Amino acid sequence: LSSSSAASDVYKRQELRDKRKEHRDNAFGALKLTAREWPEVGCLHLDEIIRESDVDLRIRGSLILRTIAPKGGAEAWDLITWSLQDEEVRVRRNAAKTLTVLADVEPRVAIILVESSLGENDRGIRNSVIKALRKLDIQSPRVVQMILKGASDEDLEMRKACAVSYTHLTLPTKRIV
């Protein structure tokens, strides 16, 4: 790491935590652009940000999770997992919005995270879980178990989504002769 690169890194860290809104906004905008091109760099910064006690930092960081979800690999999955467990509901909502992206690019990871989020009470998170559940392979035994569990959920929207998915499981497939 060159001394100019290290100095730049320190500067970015300071700007991300700056109390002035404009500075913080610009720094997070730059981090999002950086994370889009270099997910591993985004993950490095987000790894620090999502551990901060400052709720605003964690919320802003969680907004970038969708950017790193498709290409961030295991580091991104860990960040999403931690954010899904955050005490702040807005952080969890933002993390839950990555579930549909993961369902497309890493369905096995998505299944684990959807399953862990099934019991969430927040409407926004539940909506994201439902959207991701609809994208997952309904032939997977774990997905079938989630659908059956969700079909008996107290939330009407979850029951409806699982009932629709269940009908896809039980409908006979057409055979072309």
Side-chain angles (χ1 to χ4, degrees):
L1 201 68
S2 71
S3 61
S4 65
S5 178
S8 174
D9 206 38
V10 169
Y11 179 72
K12 285 180 210 163
R13 283 188 173 95
Q14 289 172 344
E15 289 295 298
L16 288 166
R17 290 158 179 80
D18 198 295
K19 298 298 178 195
R20 295 168 291 186
K21 183 181 179 330
E22 185 178 335
H23 284 253
R24 205 176 254 202
D25 289 348
N26 290 337
F28 273 94
L31 178 56
K32 185 172 184 174
L33 291 173
T34 302
R36 186 174 297 134
E37 296 300 317
W38 298 287
E40 62 280 357
V41 174
C43 287
L44 285 173
H45 284 285
L46 291 176
D47 188 48
E48 292 178 15
I49 290 167
I50 66 165
R51 298 172 197 237
E52 292 280 346
S53 59
D54 183 335
V55 174
D56 182 63
L57 279 177
R58 294 197 323 270
I59 292 168
R60 288 170 181 259
S62 67
L63 287 167
I64 299 174
L65 292 173
R66 277 186 77 118
T67 304
I68 63 167
K71 297 179 185 172
E75 293 87 0
W77 309 333
D78 285 345
L79 294 169
I80 293 165
T81 301
W82 295 331
S83 296
L84 284 168
Q85 299 168 7
D86 196 278
E87 63 190 32
E88 172 58 46
V89 71
R90 292 171 289 180
V91 172
R92 293 195 315 273
R93 273 186 209 135
N94 293 334
K97 290 177 182 174
T98 66
L99 296 175
T100 56
V101 174
L102 286 176
D104 289 332
V105 296
E106 282 296 335
R108 291 178 307 182
V109 174
I111 288 171
I112 294 166
L113 297 180
V114 166
E115 190 172 35
S116 71
S117 300
L118 270 178
E120 182 66 59
N121 291 325
D122 179 75
R123 167 61 45 214
I125 296 169
R126 291 181 76 80
N127 287 342
S128 293
V129 167
I130 290 168
K131 287 177 186 172
L133 195 54
R134 287 179 179 148
K135 287 186 142 201
L136 295 172
D137 178 15
I138 58 173
Q139 301 306 313
S140 162
R142 281 182 86 171
V143 174
V144 171
Q145 287 300 314
M146 285 189 281
I147 290 168
L148 293 173
K149 181 180 177 183
S152 63
D153 195 273
E154 62 186 43
D155 180 57
L156 177 62
E157 293 305 312
M158 180 65 76
R159 285 195 315 267
K160 283 182 188 178
C162 290
V164 168
S165 295
Y166 185 74
T167 59
H168 292 295
L169 282 172
T170 58
L171 285 177
T173 55
K174 291 183 181 182
R175 290 179 22 162
I176 301 173
V177 182

